[in-house]
Amino acid sequence: MTQAAFFVLTALADQPRHGYGILREVEELSEGSVQMRVGTLYGVLDRLTADGLIVLDHEEVQQGRLRRYYRLTDGGTQALDAEAERLAAGASAAKKRIAEGRRTSGDAPGTTDAPGLGPGLAGGLA
């Protein structure tokens, strides 16, 4: 699942939303790290609809413009839950590995292991 699809599903997890509402929620949920353009959003919505993860909930006219509201299907909720679990497990594994690496390497906090900067490494001092 792409990051954009994950955040669109997350934006729809609590209630149906229209396109602009989804864009705002995605930006807020991702703390600004995911800023989708309208064309990208509608491409994601089309894919999620084709995959049966979301459906058109209703349409309404507001200020002369048609707004389409989308909502998660049961399959969408299950897919989002599975992806959230997968991401959490991956983050947990990464944090565990980082902690183990710090314990076994004996490096002081703030030191780096950048390639080519230490003696005996390619490009380093011989």
Side-chain angles (χ1 to χ4, degrees), residues 31 77 82 85 93 121:
E31 298 179 344
T77 300
E85 289 292 327
L121 299 176

Side-chain angles (χ1 to χ4, degrees), residues 112-126:
T112 62
D113 291 330
L117 297 179
L121 299 176
L125 302 173

Side-chain angles (χ1 to χ4, degrees), residues 19 22 43 57-58 67 93 100 112 123:
I22 294 170
D57 185 68
H58 67 279
R67 285 189 171 173
E100 289 170 357
T112 62

Side-chain angles (χ1 to χ4, degrees), residues 4 8 19-20 23 35-47:
V8 167
Y20 184 67
L23 288 175
Q35 296 180 359
M36 297 172 40
R37 294 189 172 152
V38 173
T40 302
L41 171 65
Y42 283 100
V44 171
L45 291 173
D46 287 345
R47 281 192 303 279

